Amino acid sequence: MSKTDCQNNTVEWNQLDWRKIHKVVFKLQKRIYRAYVNGDVRKGRRLQKTLIKSYYNRLLSIRKVSQDNQGKKTAGVDKVKSLTPKQRLFMAENLVPGDKAKPIRRVWIPKPGKKEQRPLGIPVMRDRAVQALVKTALEPEWEAKFEPNSYGFRPGRGAHDAIGAIFNTIRQKSKYVLDADIAKCFDKINHKKLLEKLNTFPKLRRQVRAWLRADICDFVKHERTPNQEGTPQGGVISPLLANIALHGMEKRIKEYAATWKGGKRDNQSSLSLIRYADDFLIIHENLEVIEQCQKIINDWLAEYDLELKPEKTRIAHTLKTHNDEKPGFNFLGFNIRQYPVGKYQSGKNAQGKTLGFKTLIKPSDESIKRHYAQIAEVIRRHNSAPQEALISKLNPIIRGWSNYYKTVCSKQTYSKVYHLLFQRLLRWAYRRHPNKNKQWVINKYWKRIGNDNWVFGEKEGLTLIKHQQTAIIRHIKVKGESSPYDGNKTYWGTRKGKHPELNNSIARLLKKQKGKCNWCDLTFHDEDKIEKDHITPKSIGGNIKDNLQLLHRHCHDEKTKEDLKAIKRHKAIKEYQKFINRFNKMNWKWIDDIPTLVGTHKEPERREAV
């Protein structure tokens, strides 16, 4: 490896065989997963040690925290925001877990739609890389252990899978629901209990313990405090540690169900606990069972110095009013409720009995208000901005919110929200031209495209996306205890192309590319950052729909460098063609030094005309 200058190292980092690196690491992860599924702890530990020592894993971990992660430019206490390719290679040489950790930088961010602030703990770049290294080894082990109805912060699972599990649980029968939230879960976890449950080999245990107990530096309050409890949010490994701490809740509830009279399997299947990070639901048709489960969970959480948040914990019924509480409940921004209907309008249960209700899942009122407040604030801030600037700010907000809710009954909600947005845009337009009549203003900002007379934008330019244009596509819940490490490539490749948070163009491209990146030919994973790219650059004629492809973020950077070279070549050829055309037009004879004059302002020596 060249260590003489930065340029050589830049080439070396960018020209590493990332496909081979990724395959080797993923193969080890699959072996770890299978070892723990089969109960071979000794083999699993040996493979984990091998993976932590792997140079390939070190390279991937550094690339993740310095190039791929969304917060890659966030500095820790050492104020390091980025790494050069030379520094990345140098860090990879000696990146190993130890028994110490640098202090964590405390950052406060506002909670969406609330006055409260959420504390984040930002480790230094090196600690983030080591956390990514350790997480790569620990995650397959715990994917083999985690309960099937745990959906938060896990590869291949998300909020839509949790909503799908809720629908499957209540669609045949109305039930009571304990909707609970753990108070300050990330900040209150008992370190000793967490390390006991982690139960890993000593070297890794010492490193995790150092991360948990790292001091917290708040630059705003100018104080440094020791950390005695909790896993600071903001670290790469923090979500995994929180999931490990809360692992076992579903098992405890199932143990309680097994003590009832009757069939053990039927009793356990009738009681459900569905968890997404620190938010969870307990669902059963009997109110006494729900109340008893609340006491059991309170006792179970007390072992980890945790408790339920009273203001966010409630018991409700999916169909009827209970204790003056409206039917239904909110979970992850969705409202889940059952509505009574006539006997000819409802479905039937497994026994053929008419249900008398329909289960509908819609966006919650709080989510609608937050979304409308966000777009209203954008419009207010762009009172004097051009129409194109306003549209470019609104489109990503509308697209993201609509894609999140496109798996449920959202059509009426989309129409309602767009109607409110339309009224805002009308006021925005009228305010800009107080001396013009309303028809003139409407004709200026709204155009007719096809059968739509009210398109906000230009016919051949940027136009505003409408909420109701988003098609409703039902989400298919993840299979049981399936994991990306189980080796089922066909299932996970196809599944990635149907992810509900992807817009239609990305979904089509994923299906077309069979879930692989066109640059490195590696399969996309759930944590990968995917970006859309033009196969042929726009400036040289590549501006058609079939000219799109999906690439990893780091692959896109490399492709952009190649595109710049192609653009330069294209410009040189174009300039040469212009010169030749001018030469032929002037009816000059060819001379040997004409090609050397291309790109200069010198005229060739005039010779005798033909």
Side-chain angles (χ1 to χ4, degrees), residues 379-408:
I379 294 172
R380 188 190 66 79
R381 289 183 178 180
H382 288 74
N383 275 336
S384 303
Q387 185 184 20
E388 292 79 8
L390 175 61
I391 294 173
S392 64
K393 288 289 183 181
L394 287 176
N395 274 351
I397 298 171
I398 295 170
R399 186 185 294 112
W401 191 83
S402 300
N403 282 341
Y404 183 73
Y405 290 106
K406 73 179 182 180
T407 62
V408 295

PDB file of all heavy atoms in Angstrom, residues 379-408:
ATOM      1  N   ILE A 379     -44.924  27.168   3.342  1.00  0.00           N
ATOM      2  CA  ILE A 379     -45.572  28.181   2.498  1.00  0.00           C
ATOM      3  C   ILE A 379     -45.373  29.575   3.086  1.00  0.00           C
ATOM      4  O   ILE A 379     -45.119  30.545   2.366  1.00  0.00           O
ATOM      5  CB  ILE A 379     -47.074  27.854   2.338  1.00  0.00           C
ATOM      6  CG1 ILE A 379     -47.247  26.555   1.546  1.00  0.00           C
ATOM      7  CG2 ILE A 379     -47.812  28.993   1.626  1.00  0.00           C
ATOM      8  CD1 ILE A 379     -48.666  26.035   1.500  1.00  0.00           C
ATOM      9  N   ARG A 380     -45.490  29.676   4.414  1.00  0.00           N
ATOM     10  CA  ARG A 380     -45.305  30.983   5.064  1.00  0.00           C
ATOM     11  C   ARG A 380     -43.899  31.526   4.841  1.00  0.00           C
ATOM     12  O   ARG A 380     -43.709  32.715   4.596  1.00  0.00           O
ATOM     13  CB  ARG A 380     -45.578  30.855   6.559  1.00  0.00           C
ATOM     14  CG  ARG A 380     -45.596  32.174   7.313  1.00  0.00           C
ATOM     15  CD  ARG A 380     -45.638  31.961   8.805  1.00  0.00           C
ATOM     16  NE  ARG A 380     -44.423  31.343   9.300  1.00  0.00           N
ATOM     17  CZ  ARG A 380     -43.281  32.003   9.522  1.00  0.00           C
ATOM     18  NH1 ARG A 380     -43.190  33.290   9.239  1.00  0.00           N
ATOM     19  NH2 ARG A 380     -42.223  31.367   9.983  1.00  0.00           N
ATOM     20  N   ARG A 381     -42.916  30.650   4.892  1.00  0.00           N
ATOM     21  CA  ARG A 381     -41.527  31.090   4.731  1.00  0.00           C
ATOM     22  C   ARG A 381     -41.199  31.445   3.283  1.00  0.00           C
ATOM     23  O   ARG A 381     -40.189  32.089   3.029  1.00  0.00           O
ATOM     24  CB  ARG A 381     -40.575  29.994   5.204  1.00  0.00           C
ATOM     25  CG  ARG A 381     -40.571  29.808   6.711  1.00  0.00           C
ATOM     26  CD  ARG A 381     -39.546  28.764   7.120  1.00  0.00           C
ATOM     27  NE  ARG A 381     -39.494  28.609   8.560  1.00  0.00           N
ATOM     28  CZ  ARG A 381     -38.686  27.758   9.197  1.00  0.00           C
ATOM     29  NH1 ARG A 381     -37.871  26.991   8.471  1.00  0.00           N
ATOM     30  NH2 ARG A 381     -38.689  27.674  10.505  1.00  0.00           N
ATOM     31  N   HIS A 382     -42.034  30.996   2.348  1.00  0.00           N
ATOM     32  CA  HIS A 382     -41.782  31.251   0.925  1.00  0.00           C
ATOM     33  C   HIS A 382     -42.795  32.244   0.347  1.00  0.00           C
ATOM     34  O   HIS A 382     -43.182  32.134  -0.814  1.00  0.00           O
ATOM     35  CB  HIS A 382     -41.831  29.931   0.138  1.00  0.00           C
ATOM     36  CG  HIS A 382     -40.649  29.050   0.390  1.00  0.00           C
ATOM     37  ND1 HIS A 382     -40.484  28.350   1.559  1.00  0.00           N
ATOM     38  CD2 HIS A 382     -39.563  28.755  -0.379  1.00  0.00           C
ATOM     39  CE1 HIS A 382     -39.362  27.658   1.506  1.00  0.00           C
ATOM     40  NE2 HIS A 382     -38.788  27.878   0.346  1.00  0.00           N
ATOM     41  N   ASN A 383     -43.216  33.189   1.156  1.00  0.00           N
ATOM     42  CA  ASN A 383     -44.184  34.186   0.691  1.00  0.00           C
ATOM     43  C   ASN A 383     -43.672  34.986  -0.506  1.00  0.00           C
ATOM     44  O   ASN A 383     -44.433  35.349  -1.397  1.00  0.00           O
ATOM     45  CB  ASN A 383     -44.556  35.151   1.827  1.00  0.00           C
ATOM     46  CG  ASN A 383     -45.674  34.592   2.689  1.00  0.00           C
ATOM     47  OD1 ASN A 383     -46.458  33.760   2.246  1.00  0.00           O
ATOM     48  ND2 ASN A 383     -45.750  35.039   3.931  1.00  0.00           N
ATOM     49  N   SER A 384     -42.368  35.243  -0.516  1.00  0.00           N
ATOM     50  CA  SER A 384     -41.790  36.064  -1.585  1.00  0.00           C
ATOM     51  C   SER A 384     -40.907  35.265  -2.531  1.00  0.00           C
ATOM     52  O   SER A 384     -40.254  35.842  -3.403  1.00  0.00           O
ATOM     53  CB  SER A 384     -40.973  37.213  -0.975  1.00  0.00           C
ATOM     54  OG  SER A 384     -41.779  37.986  -0.117  1.00  0.00           O
ATOM     55  N   ALA A 385     -40.868  33.960  -2.356  1.00  0.00           N
ATOM     56  CA  ALA A 385     -39.991  33.116  -3.175  1.00  0.00           C
ATOM     57  C   ALA A 385     -40.674  32.768  -4.493  1.00  0.00           C
ATOM     58  O   ALA A 385     -41.902  32.822  -4.616  1.00  0.00           O
ATOM     59  CB  ALA A 385     -39.639  31.840  -2.423  1.00  0.00           C
ATOM     60  N   PRO A 386     -39.902  32.380  -5.516  1.00  0.00           N
ATOM     61  CA  PRO A 386     -40.507  31.936  -6.786  1.00  0.00           C
ATOM     62  C   PRO A 386     -41.335  30.668  -6.591  1.00  0.00           C
ATOM     63  O   PRO A 386     -41.135  29.906  -5.646  1.00  0.00           O
ATOM     64  CB  PRO A 386     -39.287  31.667  -7.683  1.00  0.00           C
ATOM     65  CG  PRO A 386     -38.161  32.379  -7.037  1.00  0.00           C
ATOM     66  CD  PRO A 386     -38.435  32.423  -5.579  1.00  0.00           C
ATOM     67  N   GLN A 387     -42.244  30.455  -7.514  1.00  0.00           N
ATOM     68  CA  GLN A 387     -43.117  29.282  -7.442  1.00  0.00           C
ATOM     69  C   GLN A 387     -42.313  27.985  -7.466  1.00  0.00           C
ATOM     70  O   GLN A 387     -42.615  27.034  -6.739  1.00  0.00           O
ATOM     71  CB  GLN A 387     -44.113  29.313  -8.599  1.00  0.00           C
ATOM     72  CG  GLN A 387     -45.150  28.198  -8.558  1.00  0.00           C
ATOM     73  CD  GLN A 387     -46.054  28.202  -9.767  1.00  0.00           C
ATOM     74  OE1 GLN A 387     -45.712  28.772 -10.803  1.00  0.00           O
ATOM     75  NE2 GLN A 387     -47.211  27.581  -9.663  1.00  0.00           N
ATOM     76  N   GLU A 388     -41.266  27.935  -8.291  1.00  0.00           N
ATOM     77  CA  GLU A 388     -40.447  26.717  -8.398  1.00  0.00           C
ATOM     78  C   GLU A 388     -39.770  26.382  -7.069  1.00  0.00           C
ATOM     79  O   GLU A 388     -39.653  25.212  -6.696  1.00  0.00           O
ATOM     80  CB  GLU A 388     -39.389  26.883  -9.492  1.00  0.00           C
ATOM     81  CG  GLU A 388     -39.941  26.946 -10.899  1.00  0.00           C
ATOM     82  CD  GLU A 388     -40.512  28.311 -11.243  1.00  0.00           C
ATOM     83  OE1 GLU A 388     -40.342  29.253 -10.420  1.00  0.00           O
ATOM     84  OE2 GLU A 388     -41.133  28.456 -12.308  1.00  0.00           O
ATOM     85  N   ALA A 389     -39.315  27.413  -6.332  1.00  0.00           N
ATOM     86  CA  ALA A 389     -38.665  27.174  -5.046  1.00  0.00           C
ATOM     87  C   ALA A 389     -39.645  26.592  -4.039  1.00  0.00           C
ATOM     88  O   ALA A 389     -39.308  25.680  -3.268  1.00  0.00           O
ATOM     89  CB  ALA A 389     -38.063  28.480  -4.520  1.00  0.00           C
ATOM     90  N   LEU A 390     -40.877  27.108  -4.029  1.00  0.00           N
ATOM     91  CA  LEU A 390     -41.896  26.579  -3.116  1.00  0.00           C
ATOM     92  C   LEU A 390     -42.225  25.130  -3.442  1.00  0.00           C
ATOM     93  O   LEU A 390     -42.306  24.282  -2.545  1.00  0.00           O
ATOM     94  CB  LEU A 390     -43.155  27.450  -3.214  1.00  0.00           C
ATOM     95  CG  LEU A 390     -44.372  26.972  -2.411  1.00  0.00           C
ATOM     96  CD1 LEU A 390     -44.054  26.941  -0.928  1.00  0.00           C
ATOM     97  CD2 LEU A 390     -45.581  27.847  -2.687  1.00  0.00           C
ATOM     98  N   ILE A 391     -42.394  24.829  -4.732  1.00  0.00           N
ATOM     99  CA  ILE A 391     -42.730  23.455  -5.132  1.00  0.00           C
ATOM    100  C   ILE A 391     -41.604  22.486  -4.771  1.00  0.00           C
ATOM    101  O   ILE A 391     -41.849  21.377  -4.286  1.00  0.00           O
ATOM    102  CB  ILE A 391     -43.034  23.404  -6.647  1.00  0.00           C
ATOM    103  CG1 ILE A 391     -44.294  24.198  -6.963  1.00  0.00           C
ATOM    104  CG2 ILE A 391     -43.186  21.964  -7.130  1.00  0.00           C
ATOM    105  CD1 ILE A 391     -44.579  24.344  -8.445  1.00  0.00           C
ATOM    106  N   SER A 392     -40.358  22.905  -4.987  1.00  0.00           N
ATOM    107  CA  SER A 392     -39.219  22.026  -4.690  1.00  0.00           C
ATOM    108  C   SER A 392     -39.104  21.722  -3.199  1.00  0.00           C
ATOM    109  O   SER A 392     -38.574  20.677  -2.816  1.00  0.00           O
ATOM    110  CB  SER A 392     -37.922  22.656  -5.199  1.00  0.00           C
ATOM    111  OG  SER A 392     -37.649  23.857  -4.511  1.00  0.00           O
ATOM    112  N   LYS A 393     -39.616  22.615  -2.336  1.00  0.00           N
ATOM    113  CA  LYS A 393     -39.606  22.364  -0.888  1.00  0.00           C
ATOM    114  C   LYS A 393     -40.787  21.504  -0.452  1.00  0.00           C
ATOM    115  O   LYS A 393     -40.668  20.670   0.447  1.00  0.00           O
ATOM    116  CB  LYS A 393     -39.642  23.695  -0.128  1.00  0.00           C
ATOM    117  CG  LYS A 393     -38.357  24.487  -0.192  1.00  0.00           C
ATOM    118  CD  LYS A 393     -37.266  23.804   0.628  1.00  0.00           C
ATOM    119  CE  LYS A 393     -35.984  24.644   0.630  1.00  0.00           C
ATOM    120  NZ  LYS A 393     -34.915  23.987   1.398  1.00  0.00           N
ATOM    121  N   LEU A 394     -41.949  21.707  -1.095  1.00  0.00           N
ATOM    122  CA  LEU A 394     -43.154  20.974  -0.693  1.00  0.00           C
ATOM    123  C   LEU A 394     -43.161  19.529  -1.186  1.00  0.00           C
ATOM    124  O   LEU A 394     -43.640  18.633  -0.482  1.00  0.00           O
ATOM    125  CB  LEU A 394     -44.398  21.688  -1.214  1.00  0.00           C
ATOM    126  CG  LEU A 394     -44.808  22.988  -0.520  1.00  0.00           C
ATOM    127  CD1 LEU A 394     -46.001  23.611  -1.238  1.00  0.00           C
ATOM    128  CD2 LEU A 394     -45.146  22.746   0.941  1.00  0.00           C
ATOM    129  N   ASN A 395     -42.642  19.275  -2.384  1.00  0.00           N
ATOM    130  CA  ASN A 395     -42.740  17.935  -2.980  1.00  0.00           C
ATOM    131  C   ASN A 395     -42.135  16.823  -2.117  1.00  0.00           C
ATOM    132  O   ASN A 395     -42.773  15.781  -1.921  1.00  0.00           O
ATOM    133  CB  ASN A 395     -42.114  17.939  -4.379  1.00  0.00           C
ATOM    134  CG  ASN A 395     -43.099  18.368  -5.452  1.00  0.00           C
ATOM    135  OD1 ASN A 395     -44.294  18.509  -5.190  1.00  0.00           O
ATOM    136  ND2 ASN A 395     -42.621  18.598  -6.651  1.00  0.00           N
ATOM    137  N   PRO A 396     -40.907  16.980  -1.582  1.00  0.00           N
ATOM    138  CA  PRO A 396     -40.370  15.894  -0.747  1.00  0.00           C
ATOM    139  C   PRO A 396     -41.196  15.636   0.510  1.00  0.00           C
ATOM    140  O   PRO A 396     -41.330  14.485   0.937  1.00  0.00           O
ATOM    141  CB  PRO A 396     -38.959  16.405  -0.387  1.00  0.00           C
ATOM    142  CG  PRO A 396     -38.634  17.434  -1.407  1.00  0.00           C
ATOM    143  CD  PRO A 396     -39.933  18.060  -1.783  1.00  0.00           C
ATOM    144  N   ILE A 397     -41.764  16.692   1.095  1.00  0.00           N
ATOM    145  CA  ILE A 397     -42.585  16.535   2.302  1.00  0.00           C
ATOM    146  C   ILE A 397     -43.854  15.763   1.971  1.00  0.00           C
ATOM    147  O   ILE A 397     -44.234  14.818   2.679  1.00  0.00           O
ATOM    148  CB  ILE A 397     -42.917  17.922   2.896  1.00  0.00           C
ATOM    149  CG1 ILE A 397     -41.638  18.655   3.318  1.00  0.00           C
ATOM    150  CG2 ILE A 397     -43.863  17.784   4.083  1.00  0.00           C
ATOM    151  CD1 ILE A 397     -41.856  20.096   3.720  1.00  0.00           C
ATOM    152  N   ILE A 398     -44.523  16.162   0.882  1.00  0.00           N
ATOM    153  CA  ILE A 398     -45.773  15.496   0.482  1.00  0.00           C
ATOM    154  C   ILE A 398     -45.500  14.048   0.085  1.00  0.00           C
ATOM    155  O   ILE A 398     -46.230  13.127   0.477  1.00  0.00           O
ATOM    156  CB  ILE A 398     -46.431  16.259  -0.681  1.00  0.00           C
ATOM    157  CG1 ILE A 398     -46.860  17.655  -0.221  1.00  0.00           C
ATOM    158  CG2 ILE A 398     -47.620  15.497  -1.238  1.00  0.00           C
ATOM    159  CD1 ILE A 398     -47.298  18.561  -1.342  1.00  0.00           C
ATOM    160  N   ARG A 399     -44.444  13.831  -0.690  1.00  0.00           N
ATOM    161  CA  ARG A 399     -44.127  12.475  -1.169  1.00  0.00           C
ATOM    162  C   ARG A 399     -43.803  11.546   0.003  1.00  0.00           C
ATOM    163  O   ARG A 399     -44.296  10.411   0.074  1.00  0.00           O
ATOM    164  CB  ARG A 399     -42.950  12.524  -2.138  1.00  0.00           C
ATOM    165  CG  ARG A 399     -42.637  11.183  -2.787  1.00  0.00           C
ATOM    166  CD  ARG A 399     -41.398  11.249  -3.649  1.00  0.00           C
ATOM    167  NE  ARG A 399     -41.581  12.106  -4.806  1.00  0.00           N
ATOM    168  CZ  ARG A 399     -40.952  13.262  -4.988  1.00  0.00           C
ATOM    169  NH1 ARG A 399     -40.111  13.717  -4.077  1.00  0.00           N
ATOM    170  NH2 ARG A 399     -41.175  13.975  -6.074  1.00  0.00           N
ATOM    171  N   GLY A 400     -42.987  12.013   0.950  1.00  0.00           N
ATOM    172  CA  GLY A 400     -42.603  11.174   2.080  1.00  0.00           C
ATOM    173  C   GLY A 400     -43.784  10.818   2.969  1.00  0.00           C
ATOM    174  O   GLY A 400     -43.952   9.650   3.363  1.00  0.00           O
ATOM    175  N   TRP A 401     -44.629  11.809   3.284  1.00  0.00           N
ATOM    176  CA  TRP A 401     -45.785  11.549   4.154  1.00  0.00           C
ATOM    177  C   TRP A 401     -46.784  10.625   3.458  1.00  0.00           C
ATOM    178  O   TRP A 401     -47.311   9.694   4.091  1.00  0.00           O
ATOM    179  CB  TRP A 401     -46.440  12.885   4.510  1.00  0.00           C
ATOM    180  CG  TRP A 401     -47.459  12.782   5.603  1.00  0.00           C
ATOM    181  CD1 TRP A 401     -47.234  12.780   6.946  1.00  0.00           C
ATOM    182  CD2 TRP A 401     -48.885  12.673   5.438  1.00  0.00           C
ATOM    183  NE1 TRP A 401     -48.420  12.684   7.636  1.00  0.00           N
ATOM    184  CE2 TRP A 401     -49.451  12.611   6.731  1.00  0.00           C
ATOM    185  CE3 TRP A 401     -49.726  12.623   4.337  1.00  0.00           C
ATOM    186  CZ2 TRP A 401     -50.820  12.509   6.952  1.00  0.00           C
ATOM    187  CZ3 TRP A 401     -51.097  12.514   4.543  1.00  0.00           C
ATOM    188  CH2 TRP A 401     -51.630  12.461   5.835  1.00  0.00           C
ATOM    189  N   SER A 402     -47.031  10.855   2.192  1.00  0.00           N
ATOM    190  CA  SER A 402     -47.999  10.025   1.449  1.00  0.00           C
ATOM    191  C   SER A 402     -47.492   8.590   1.308  1.00  0.00           C
ATOM    192  O   SER A 402     -48.276   7.635   1.411  1.00  0.00           O
ATOM    193  CB  SER A 402     -48.264  10.624   0.066  1.00  0.00           C
ATOM    194  OG  SER A 402     -48.789  11.929   0.167  1.00  0.00           O
ATOM    195  N   ASN A 403     -46.208   8.415   1.069  1.00  0.00           N
ATOM    196  CA  ASN A 403     -45.659   7.064   0.929  1.00  0.00           C
ATOM    197  C   ASN A 403     -45.734   6.275   2.236  1.00  0.00           C
ATOM    198  O   ASN A 403     -45.897   5.055   2.231  1.00  0.00           O
ATOM    199  CB  ASN A 403     -44.204   7.130   0.456  1.00  0.00           C
ATOM    200  CG  ASN A 403     -44.092   7.409  -1.025  1.00  0.00           C
ATOM    201  OD1 ASN A 403     -45.036   7.222  -1.771  1.00  0.00           O
ATOM    202  ND2 ASN A 403     -42.941   7.879  -1.461  1.00  0.00           N
ATOM    203  N   TYR A 404     -45.602   6.975   3.369  1.00  0.00           N
ATOM    204  CA  TYR A 404     -45.658   6.285   4.665  1.00  0.00           C
ATOM    205  C   TYR A 404     -47.057   5.720   4.916  1.00  0.00           C
ATOM    206  O   TYR A 404     -47.204   4.638   5.493  1.00  0.00           O
ATOM    207  CB  TYR A 404     -45.269   7.251   5.782  1.00  0.00           C
ATOM    208  CG  TYR A 404     -45.223   6.622   7.159  1.00  0.00           C
ATOM    209  CD1 TYR A 404     -44.197   5.750   7.504  1.00  0.00           C
ATOM    210  CD2 TYR A 404     -46.205   6.887   8.102  1.00  0.00           C
ATOM    211  CE1 TYR A 404     -44.152   5.168   8.759  1.00  0.00           C
ATOM    212  CE2 TYR A 404     -46.171   6.311   9.355  1.00  0.00           C
ATOM    213  CZ  TYR A 404     -45.136   5.452   9.684  1.00  0.00           C
ATOM    214  OH  TYR A 404     -45.100   4.868  10.938  1.00  0.00           O
ATOM    215  N   TYR A 405     -48.088   6.440   4.476  1.00  0.00           N
ATOM    216  CA  TYR A 405     -49.463   6.031   4.770  1.00  0.00           C
ATOM    217  C   TYR A 405     -50.162   5.370   3.581  1.00  0.00           C
ATOM    218  O   TYR A 405     -51.376   5.153   3.627  1.00  0.00           O
ATOM    219  CB  TYR A 405     -50.277   7.251   5.219  1.00  0.00           C
ATOM    220  CG  TYR A 405     -49.870   7.748   6.578  1.00  0.00           C
ATOM    221  CD1 TYR A 405     -49.123   8.911   6.726  1.00  0.00           C
ATOM    222  CD2 TYR A 405     -50.209   7.046   7.731  1.00  0.00           C
ATOM    223  CE1 TYR A 405     -48.739   9.366   7.972  1.00  0.00           C
ATOM    224  CE2 TYR A 405     -49.830   7.490   8.981  1.00  0.00           C
ATOM    225  CZ  TYR A 405     -49.092   8.648   9.095  1.00  0.00           C
ATOM    226  OH  TYR A 405     -48.708   9.081  10.347  1.00  0.00           O
ATOM    227  N   LYS A 406     -49.443   5.039   2.534  1.00  0.00           N
ATOM    228  CA  LYS A 406     -50.099   4.476   1.352  1.00  0.00           C
ATOM    229  C   LYS A 406     -50.465   3.007   1.504  1.00  0.00           C
ATOM    230  O   LYS A 406     -51.053   2.423   0.607  1.00  0.00           O
ATOM    231  CB  LYS A 406     -49.209   4.660   0.116  1.00  0.00           C
ATOM    232  CG  LYS A 406     -47.994   3.753   0.055  1.00  0.00           C
ATOM    233  CD  LYS A 406     -47.215   4.013  -1.224  1.00  0.00           C
ATOM    234  CE  LYS A 406     -46.014   3.082  -1.340  1.00  0.00           C
ATOM    235  NZ  LYS A 406     -45.250   3.334  -2.567  1.00  0.00           N
ATOM    236  N   THR A 407     -50.139   2.379   2.638  1.00  0.00           N
ATOM    237  CA  THR A 407     -50.472   0.965   2.839  1.00  0.00           C
ATOM    238  C   THR A 407     -51.805   0.776   3.551  1.00  0.00           C
ATOM    239  O   THR A 407     -52.222  -0.356   3.755  1.00  0.00           O
ATOM    240  CB  THR A 407     -49.367   0.288   3.672  1.00  0.00           C
ATOM    241  OG1 THR A 407     -49.311   0.916   4.963  1.00  0.00           O
ATOM    242  CG2 THR A 407     -48.019   0.418   3.001  1.00  0.00           C
ATOM    243  N   VAL A 408     -52.457   1.882   3.961  1.00  0.00           N
ATOM    244  CA  VAL A 408     -53.708   1.767   4.725  1.00  0.00           C
ATOM    245  C   VAL A 408     -54.811   2.566   4.025  1.00  0.00           C
ATOM    246  O   VAL A 408     -54.633   3.041   2.907  1.00  0.00           O
ATOM    247  CB  VAL A 408     -53.498   2.256   6.173  1.00  0.00           C
ATOM    248  CG1 VAL A 408     -52.512   1.353   6.900  1.00  0.00           C
ATOM    249  CG2 VAL A 408     -52.995   3.702   6.204  1.00  0.00           C
TER     250      VAL A 408
END
